[in-house]
Amino acid sequence: MTVKAVVRKNQYQDSVRLMTVSRQVSALDRVNNCLALLGTDGNKKVIKDLGLMDAGVKSATPNDLVICIDAASAKDWERAVAEVDKLLEQSVEGDAGEEKAGSLSEALETNKDINMALFSIPGQFAKLDVMEALEKGLNVMLFSDNVSLEDEILLKKIAVQKNLLMMGPDCGTSIINGVPLAFANVVKRGSVGIVAASGTGIQEVTCLIDSLGGGISHAIGVGGRDMKKGVDGMMMSLAIDKLARDKNTKTLVLISKPGDKAAMTKVMARARKTGMPVVACFLGRGRAVKSGRGVTAVNTLEEAAFAAMKRKKPALKQTRKLSGEIKALGSKRKYIRGLYSGGTLCYEALLLYDGKLDVHSNIALDAKLKLKYPAKGKKHYCIDMGDDDFTKGKPHPMIDSTLRTKRFVEEYRNPSTAVILFDVVLGYGASDDPAGDIIDAIKKAEKKAGSKIKKGGDGPVLMAQVCGTNGDPQSLNAQEAKLGDAGVHLFATNADAVRASIKAVERKL
């Protein structure tokens, strides 16, 4: 076995591209793992934990490319490194036909109509570039994380002064004028405007509204910290004002965790002032705001979508097949194991479990239920596998499901697992075939466990929701059909899948 790292000086690459290359090379025969990373402090910690820290890696900068490979032999290691270089070169050549600006100023000279810039660069270097964009009158979407709170406050103050959006930092999802940005879905245009401090929250609500026959005017992500003290809901407030002036927006939906009390008061006053019907989904215990004066307060993403469409939520239906599988569970199978790629979907699940089951998590509601990385519990647990501890130096599970599928196989074989609950998130930026990844894991798990779900064997019940639309590159119907054929019980909403998992284990406990 050969495990080594090599540093390529001044070879900065987009992080999503590096994730894709890492996944492709890791899949090669006789290559156990490949990580292509930038030399940031966070990535160096990952490399150190792998035992690959040396003088070269230690001196690497965030502009340097570090390639870490675990291969069966020295020859296989060399072959893997060559493949990384080849794939990165192909990516560059594939873009050769595109006209690329050498700077922001050059881009603006080329096209005077540009009014938005999207940044995906190391967070510690984002401040000056974003400031330049704002000074040039551009709205900004800042995908980057690891931006200090102080820098966020400064950038948002500048944006507000200039009446410009500063979406982020760590803004993973937006839909502006019907255009999906970063992790987003293809949804119909319509009259519902969304402002959210949550990426998968936007995805769930927009997809559900689409499925109910509605559409989205704009969905503006503001970054997860916008409602914190100091940031004071600056961008959520400005986004509300912009949607209020948009002639196509007739209903307003707000999504966030409860924030600073003063920020909440400010944002809700701004929302009421629009005169539009407002749906407020502040995910947390109790109600952060009350219904009344044009505001409908809800507790789940599912409720937000139905309220925005003025539709009544249908009752949860349990199929005969599902009932049969629950009854067939062995006496040792007692616990729910939730494996989520969407952080807000996982948080919504925890809120639904609250007061009904003690469910442990790496993002637990209570300290006593907190799981430390790698977040393995002996009883009920529901974990966010897109959390920073799982993604340091590794692709997000929406992009690459390797870590999640390994855990899936492990929990399937666990004799105490009654239900494996998971989400499948579609759209731009997500895996080309997330259902296929899960199905491969099911086949591997069944083979190792020696039982077949579809034949009524003593395996755990599989429950999921697919967050997506038929307009997405992966196609909702196609993904659901694959999972259904593999024995997965599908639900229209994440909340319904959670409710069904509670019913399943209540019958066993």
Side-chain angles (χ1 to χ4, degrees):
M1 183 176 291
T2 301
V3 184
K4 291 193 301 182
V6 62
V7 178
R8 299 273 196 262
K9 300 297 290 183
N10 296 315
Q11 286 196 20
Y12 177 83
Q13 297 283 343
D14 177 76
S15 59
V16 175
R17 176 177 289 171
L18 291 178
M19 289 177 185
T20 301
V21 169
S22 297
R23 182 178 64 213
Q24 290 173 315
V25 177
S26 294
L28 294 176
D29 188 36
R30 296 177 63 80
V31 175
N32 299 318
N33 194 22
C34 169
L35 291 177
L37 312 162
L38 296 174
T40 63
D41 290 341
N43 286 341
K44 285 180 183 179
K45 185 178 184 304
V46 173
I47 295 167
K48 183 178 180 181
D49 291 343
L50 293 172
L52 297 176
M53 181 63 73
D54 58 23
V57 173
K58 193 172 183 179
S59 63
T61 74
N63 287 320
D64 299 334
L65 174 62
V66 184
I67 303 169
C68 306
I69 292 174
D70 176 355
S73 69
K75 185 176 180 180
D76 295 313
W77 186 90
E78 294 285 354
R79 179 172 57 88
V81 171
E83 186 65 16
V84 171
D85 291 335
K86 176 184 172 183
L87 290 171
L88 290 175
E89 186 177 347
Q90 284 177 349
S91 297
V92 173
E93 290 175 352
D95 297 338
E98 300 178 8
E99 291 187 15
K100 290 189 174 182
S103 68
L104 186 59
S105 295
E106 187 179 326
L108 292 173
E109 288 174 7
T110 303
N111 188 340
K112 303 293 185 183
D113 294 328
I114 292 173
N115 65 1
M116 181 172 290
L118 192 156
F119 291 92
S120 178
I121 57 179
Q124 58 267 49
F125 302 115
K127 175 182 173 182
L128 293 179
D129 287 325
V130 172
M131 285 182 70
E132 181 187 4
L134 293 171
E135 291 297 335
K136 291 182 182 297
L138 298 178
N139 297 284
V140 170
M141 179 171 177
L142 183 54
F143 185 84
S144 311
D145 57 5
N146 295 313
V147 176
S148 71
L149 186 62
E150 292 74 18
D151 285 351
E152 177 174 351
I153 293 169
L154 172 63
L155 293 171
K156 286 186 172 177
K157 282 182 176 179
I158 294 172
V160 170
Q161 289 170 2
K162 293 180 174 292
N163 194 32
L164 295 169
L165 291 175
M166 214 300 284
M167 300 177 282
D170 201 16
C171 178
T173 303
S174 286
I175 302 173
I176 307 297
N177 284 325
V179 179
L181 300 176
F183 291 102
N185 303 88
V186 180
V187 297
K188 293 186 286 289
R189 297 299 303 277
S191 61
V192 180
I194 297 175
V195 185
S198 163
T200 47
I202 288 179
Q203 291 191 264
E204 176 78 345
V205 174
T206 57
C207 289
L208 290 178
I209 288 173
D210 182 274
S211 72
L212 292 170
I216 306 301
S217 57
H218 309 275
I220 303 173
V222 296
R225 298 185 303 200
D226 197 71
M227 297 296 288
K228 284 185 175 294
K229 187 174 182 178
V231 190
D232 301 329
M234 275 190 281
M235 202 45 51
M236 190 163 274
S237 298
L238 181 61
I240 289 169
D241 289 347
K242 287 187 175 291
L243 289 177
R245 292 192 295 271
D246 177 59
K247 64 181 182 180
N248 295 316
T249 303
K250 307 300 181 186
T251 300
L252 182 64
V253 177
L254 308 179
I255 305 169
S256 177
K257 290 180 182 177
D260 174 69
K261 187 175 181 180
M264 295 278 290
T265 301
K266 171 186 171 183
V267 165
M268 290 310 302
R270 213 67 162 257
R272 289 187 179 97
K273 189 178 178 181
T274 66
M276 291 188 288
V278 178
V279 177
C281 180
F282 289 95
L283 293 162
R285 284 172 163 162
R287 289 197 185 273
V289 298
K290 294 181 179 179
S291 294
R293 293 176 56 197
V295 174
T296 301
V298 299
N299 286 337
T300 66
L301 300 171
E302 167 197 81
E303 289 178 311
F306 277 89
M309 292 299 296
K310 296 182 173 60
R311 297 273 289 276
K312 186 177 179 181
K313 168 72 174 63
L316 174 65
K317 292 182 180 180
Q318 187 164 298
T319 65
R320 185 178 297 178
K321 181 182 177 185
L322 177 56
S323 297
E325 286 188 17
I326 292 171
K327 290 177 182 177
L329 286 170
S331 59
K332 292 182 179 179
R333 292 196 178 276
K334 297 180 179 181
Y335 301 113
I336 297 165
R337 282 17 190 299
L339 304 174
Y340 276 87
S341 61
T344 304
L345 296 174
C346 181
Y347 191 73
E348 180 184 47
L350 294 174
L351 289 170
L352 290 165
Y353 288 130
D354 192 33
K356 298 178 178 67
L357 299 171
D358 285 336
V359 178
H360 296 74
S361 179
N362 57 336
I363 57 170
L365 302 178
D366 292 320
K368 66 180 182 180
L369 298 174
K370 179 82 172 179
L371 291 176
K372 293 182 179 179
Y373 181 80
K376 294 187 178 182
K378 294 182 179 180
K379 295 187 177 181
H380 300 299
Y381 75 69
C382 188
I383 58 174
D384 170 17
M385 297 199 73
D387 189 60
D388 289 348
D389 285 334
F390 286 98
T391 58
K392 286 177 182 175
K394 302 179 184 69
H396 191 281
M398 287 185 197
I399 300 171
D400 181 355
S401 62
T402 302
L403 284 178
R404 189 163 72 145
T405 52
K406 284 182 179 178
R407 192 68 167 264
F408 188 102
V409 173
E410 185 179 313
E411 287 304 342
Y412 186 102
R413 298 179 66 194
N414 187 333
S416 69
T417 302
V419 175
I420 298 180
L421 174 69
F422 58 97
D423 60 340
V424 177
V425 182
L426 311 183
Y428 291 110
S431 167
D432 292 339
D433 185 18
D437 296 338
I438 293 292
I439 290 166
D440 288 343
I442 292 172
K443 290 177 180 177
K444 186 175 181 181
E446 287 176 341
K447 185 176 180 180
K448 287 190 175 184
S451 65
K452 294 283 186 180
I453 293 176
K454 290 187 289 185
K455 294 181 180 179
D458 180 26
V461 179
L462 307 182
M463 298 183 179
Q465 182 236 357
V466 182
C467 175
T469 72
N470 284 323
D472 287 331
Q474 305 90 344
S475 174
L476 174 65
N477 285 349
Q479 293 286 297
E480 286 186 329
K482 286 184 179 182
L483 292 167
D485 288 344
V488 179
H489 296 277
L490 298 168
F491 298 85
T493 70
N494 176 57
D496 265 353
V498 175
R499 293 185 190 106
S501 72
I502 294 172
K503 287 181 177 294
V505 296
E506 280 179 342
R507 295 190 180 190
K508 300 302 297 179
L509 292 174

